[in-house]
Every structure is written in C-alpha cells, then in structure tokens.
Amino acid sequence: MPTSATSNYPSRPEVLIGRLNSLHTPYEAKLKALRDLKNQIIGNRTKKLTFLKLGAVPSVVSILSSATAAACGGDNSDSVLIQSAAVIGSFACGLDNGVKAVLDAGAFPLLLSLITHLNDKVADAGARSLKLMYQSKLTPKYDFLQENNMDFLLSLLNSNNENVSGLGASIIVHSCQTTVEQLALSEAGVMKRLVGLLEGSLIQRDSSLESLAAMIKENPEVASKFMGPGNGRALNLVVELMKDKYSRTRLLSCMCLIRIRNTSSSYLQDSGITNKLLLILLELLEDPGQVGDEAPFVFSSLIFEKEDMQKLAFDANVVEKLCEYLSKGSFQAKRLQGIFLALADLCSKLECFRDRVLHLQVLNYVPEALAHDSTEVRAAACVFLKNISRSVKNLSAGQFMNETVAIPLVQLLCDSSASVQIAALGAISNVVVDFTAQKSLFMQCGGVKQLVQLSTSMESAIRANAVLALKNLAFLVNNRCKEEMLLELTSSTLASLICDPEASVQEQALALVRNLVDGTLNSIEYLFAEDGLLLHAIGRQLRSTSKAEVLIQGMYTLSNVASGNELHKEAVMKQLYPQAGNKNESILVKCLQSSDSRLRTAAVWALVNLTFTNSPGACGRVSELRNAGILSQLKIMVNDPSLDVKLRARTAIEQLMMFGDALT
C-alpha cells in the first residue's frame, strides 16, 4: 500500500522559516525546526544561500538571544542553545556571505557568552561555532593588546574543554599579524601554554601547532624564545609530531618548523631535518583531502628564495611529482593554485627547473588554468608563467609567445580581479621581452590596446605594471611596431604618465620612452611631435624629482636623444640648461655628483653623446659645458669606485679636451 507523507521528509525552506519565526510554535517544534534546518544546510552551499535569502540567520539568532536571556537551565533550553549555535556555525562554515549575515544579526557576543555556560555541551557548541567564524577574514580582528582581552584568551587556552582551548588557538591564528602582537602574546605566557597543549588531544595539538606558527612567523625574537635554553622539550615535541599518524598534524608540525627555520640561518639547518621536511611534504601532497590542498603552500614556504632547498627538491624529483598531480585531472581550486605557485617558486631561480618543467609539457595545463573559475588559480598560473619565462634561451625559442598563451593572457587584462590583472601584467612583461618575431602576435590580439587602457587605471600598481609591460614590448622592436604602439599610446598619454603622482609609474614611463627613442633617427623624432611635448615633460620631471630610479631612466632617455643629430643634441642641452647664466643649478651636475653609481653612469653617457667630436656643433656645447664646471667634475670622476663611471668619464674628458685649443 502507498504510505502517507511523514515528518521524515525535510520541510520546505519557507515553511521551516515560518515555524522559527512564529510566536505560536511550541518549544519542542521550534527545537525540531532548528535540527531540521541544521541537517539541510550542513555541507550544502546551495541550501545555505537559499535560507540566507529567506532571512534564516536573524531568525535563529533571535531564538538564541531569547534562550540566552531566559537562562532557565533546563534540558530544553540548553538544547535550543546548542542547536542554535550549531546552525549559526554551519552558516558561517566556508561561506563569507554566511559570516556576514551572522555578524550583522549580532550573533557574535551571544556565542561568546555561551563559552562560560555551566553546561559543557553548550560551551562546546558556542566554541565550535566561533572557531568556524574565525576561519573567515570578515570576522573582526581580536585585539590582544587590551589587558582584559589577553586575560580572556588565556582563560580559553587554559580550559579543559578542547574546543574552548581550540577556540583560543583559532583566535591567535586569525588575528596575530604584527610583530607587536606576537611579542605581546609571547610575553603574556601564551607560548608556554601552547607548548603544554602539544601533549593534549588531537584538536589541542593541531591548534597549538598552528598558533605557534602564527606567533613565530618572520619574528626572530619570538623564535629565539622558542629555541632558547631550556626549551629543547618544546622543539622535540614539534619534531616528534612530524611522525604523527594524523596527516594534518604532520603538515602543521612541518609548517611550524619551517617558520622557525625561516627566521634565522642558524635554526634547523641540519640536513637531516631539511630532508625530512621535504619528504614528508611530498608525501602529504598525495593526501586526497584538505591536507593535500594545503601541502603545496607549506612546501613553497620551504623553498621560496632558497637555492639550496630548491636543489634538494630537484634531486627529489619534485617537478615530476607535481606534474603527475596536474595530469590526474580536476581537483579543488586551492590545490591547483598551490601546485602552480610551487612550480613558480621552483622556476624562480634555477634554469634546470625551467628546462624540466618545459620538457614535461606543463605548459599544456596553463591555458585551462588561465581560464579557471577561481581568481586565485588564474593569478597563480600567471605567476608561474612569469617565473618560467625568465629563461632567455626558451624565450628565444618562442616557447611562450604563441596563441595558446598570448590570447588568454591578453583576455586576463580585462579580468574583474585587480590581483589577476597585475599577475597577468607580470607574465606579459616577461614573455614580450627582446624577441621581435613574436611581438607582432601580441599586438594582433589586442595586447597593446589593453595595456594602454590599463596604463590609465586608478590603481597605481596596475598603471606601473602596464607601463612596464609596454616598456618591455618596446625593447629592440622595429619602427613599424613602435608606430603601432604610438597610435594607441599618444604623446599626451605618455606625458601624463611621465608626470604621474607615483614614482614607480614615472620610472617605467621614462624607461618606455627610452626604448621608443632607441635606434634610428626616426625613433628620436617621436619626442619632438606636438611641439616637443614629451621632451619638455622629461625635462620638467628630471628637474622636479629626487628619486634616483626616475632620474636614471630620464637621463638615459636624454642620452639616447643626444646620440641623434645636431637638432636633437641642442634640444637636450636646452633641457639640461633651461636658464642661461644659471649653470650651477643644472640637473646634470646633480646627477654627476649623485651617490648612486648608476645615475652617475647615465649622466656621463649623456655627456659622451653630447660632445661626440664629429658633430658640427660639438665645440659650442663643449664651451658651454666647460663654463658650467663639468670638466672639473669629470676629472674627479676618473677615480670613481665604479668602473663604468671611470671609463665613461675618461672618454668624456678626452672629447672635451680635444676642443681645448679652439676654446682658448
């Protein structure tokens, strides 16, 4: 016979919310509705979003508030507190929209009040929910520097309830971000308590390891306290946990040891420890769950900017293992992000890694990653491309500037995420360098137009990176390509970039112009368009800035112009000496006297080009320069500590002296 519908079927969302909101719903029915809601949303993002739209969170927080105020202490009341806290925690778990709704509804102080409840199960439920909330960046940062707050944190860590002590550790991981906070926690005795928890339950061990890692990160003083005399037991406990049967514990112990190792070259440099760290992390990469997702990031922290560790990783066939994971197909976005960042770090310095990665055809996985739904994966793929394209020989071979790479990169310049745009610009800046044959492809797919648009972005980092990419694109490019670039990048746009409020943008804009005018006389003529708009902008910027990097690029640009014909050389002289009779204030003298050898070199190069002896007007320029005291300054520079400066100064003196008889 057919059976009738029973209460075992989950209630429709609207009906469930109605029960929670109704003043006439009996206590037992309301409790059942809370359980039903919890069961529907646990692990179900779609259901969470549905209930969020229906206003479920304020309804549950209202129930929690009423039950907290009643404080009758009965089984039913405690059950409502437990279920309400569990539902709130479920909404906050892995969903920022849920965390925002929980915070907006005022649940945070209510959950905190549960921590001191006499019923351990209620306290446990409150702690669990707060731990989930502290996994989100939206949760307010805890202020450790207030005395009462530190006392409360220590009371959490000293609790016999493992979830309550775990909450204390979660607060540290979430909110301990500055050196001052790390030291304050250490001085308050938090580190000592965390070391004690290393011998506690699984939850306490893992929470303690993660908290210790947060306190030690990039803080030599805190690390020295952990490693100091009498603390050998603490280090031994962490080292022993590398062998723990639980994979997350092994991962966190590795992370803690790496943080210690990275604070000082004298800590944990023993080859036995480093080899163990490497092997354990390689093993953890195979974990199918969250540990495997996080392992690549911990691995990256071990090898970042460390050639010795990168060489060990090469010998351990790490690239092959990472490529094997990529070939297995789809997995969590976080793991894919971590693998590409790990490969990027491996390719950051050593050519052997770049060759191995290309040999294993990792580039085949890049186009899909560049189009991934995850912002983080797209950015990570760009960082990988940036580092692997540091290889000159592979750039020469045209490994990167092809349709499968160039077109997706250009498309990312329109990405909705600024971080992805900046990462794409970083990759483009490398792949367009030097090799003229491949640059036309980038132009054909609209790359220049997009770069020019980004050069006017309101965000200075995007502007600077866009102009850097344009600068590299203009390096050793032919006149036809330069003209195509200038059609998009007008003189007025370039002039405004030269005078940008940010020094980083000024530097790259001047370097771009330097590359554009490098080459034939026709190239130099670009600066004289629109009544010399660009040349005047360069002169004004040189006279107004004190930034060495900006001055260097500006002076090299003028040096390139000075390599041209007489009109070009005289135009440079007018920029260097704009006011007749005021020679001592010339920017040229300031550059020659700079403490930066790169700037002195650039200035002397300009002098060499201005005084080239075969130029018809050289005699007049030499006279003007000698009257300005340049010769005496150059004579001092023949003993310059920089070999480049010394050699160029001698050349300039020889050219100046050749006109000596004519000037007497």
Side-chain angles (χ1 to χ4, degrees), residues 556 597 601 604-605 640-650:
Y556 270 122
S597 63
T601 302
V604 178
W605 261 120
D640 196 278
S642 166
L643 181 59
D644 278 346
V645 174
K646 187 183 299 186
L647 293 175
R648 305 300 164 233
R650 288 176 180 174

Side-chain angles (χ1 to χ4, degrees), residues 96-362:
D96 279 346
N97 287 343
V99 174
K100 185 178 185 304
V102 168
L103 292 170
D104 290 345
F108 199 79
L110 294 172
L111 292 171
L112 276 176
S113 70
L114 300 184
I115 301 301
T116 55
H117 200 281
L118 295 175
N119 186 331
D120 283 345
K121 291 183 179 179
V122 174
D124 193 72
R128 285 175 183 268
S129 291
L130 286 167
K131 281 173 65 179
L132 292 170
M133 290 187 67
Y134 271 110
Q135 291 177 4
S136 170
K137 293 179 181 178
L138 296 181
T139 302
K141 191 171 177 289
Y142 193 85
D143 187 359
F144 300 110
L145 304 182
Q146 287 189 16
E147 185 176 349
N148 291 340
N149 284 359
M150 188 67 81
D151 291 341
F152 178 68
L153 177 67
L154 285 167
S155 73
L156 295 178
L157 294 173
N158 287 321
S159 172
N160 292 325
N161 184 315
E162 63 178 20
N163 277 309
V164 174
S165 60
L167 169 61
S170 296
I171 291 172
I172 295 171
V173 173
H174 174 274
S175 300
C176 182
Q177 298 171 358
T178 68
T179 301
V180 173
E181 290 167 338
Q182 291 170 323
L183 290 171
L185 288 168
S186 177
E187 290 166 3
V190 169
M191 182 182 289
K192 182 178 180 181
R193 177 56 187 151
L194 290 174
V195 170
L197 292 174
L198 290 174
E199 297 180 290
S201 67
L202 174 63
I203 290 175
Q204 290 172 325
R205 291 201 308 271
D206 287 358
S207 298
S208 175
L209 286 168
E210 199 167 5
S211 300
L212 285 169
M215 288 179 60
I216 291 169
K217 184 179 180 181
E218 298 175 4
N219 193 319
E221 189 172 345
V222 175
S224 69
K225 289 183 179 180
F226 184 85
M227 297 289 289
N231 285 347
R233 171 177 163 274
L235 179 61
N236 290 337
L237 285 171
V238 177
V239 171
E240 282 300 308
L241 289 174
M242 292 170 70
K243 310 171 191 173
D244 196 87
K245 66 178 181 178
Y246 293 102
S247 60
R248 180 155 186 80
T249 304
R250 297 201 299 278
L251 177 71
L252 293 173
S253 65
C254 287
M255 181 173 72
C256 192
L257 291 169
I258 291 168
R259 294 275 174 88
I260 295 169
R261 188 178 188 274
N262 288 348
T263 60
S264 171
S265 59
S266 61
Y267 294 154
L268 303 177
Q269 302 300 315
D270 176 74
S271 60
I273 287 283
T274 54
N275 283 325
K276 282 181 182 177
L277 286 169
L278 186 61
L279 293 174
I280 291 170
L281 289 172
L282 284 177
E283 173 194 324
L284 293 174
L285 286 170
E286 300 179 9
D287 186 279
Q290 184 182 359
V291 168
D293 294 340
E294 295 177 6
F297 297 92
V298 180
F299 172 76
S300 286
S301 70
L302 177 65
I303 62 167
F304 181 69
E305 295 291 325
K306 298 181 182 67
E307 282 194 30
D308 57 336
M309 290 306 304
Q310 291 172 8
K311 288 175 181 176
L312 285 175
F314 185 82
D315 294 338
N317 297 319
V318 171
V319 174
E320 285 80 356
K321 294 184 188 302
L322 291 174
C323 293
E324 183 182 341
Y325 301 142
L326 283 176
S327 68
K328 290 179 180 178
S330 60
F331 31 71
Q332 288 290 331
K334 185 172 183 179
R335 185 177 304 217
L336 186 57
Q337 175 199 6
I339 289 174
F340 272 111
L341 289 178
L343 286 168
D345 286 333
L346 289 169
C347 293
S348 62
K349 289 181 174 293
L350 301 176
E351 190 70 10
C352 59
F353 271 113
R354 298 171 192 143
D355 289 342
R356 183 73 61 87
V357 165
L358 289 171
H359 175 72
L360 293 170
Q361 299 183 327
V362 176

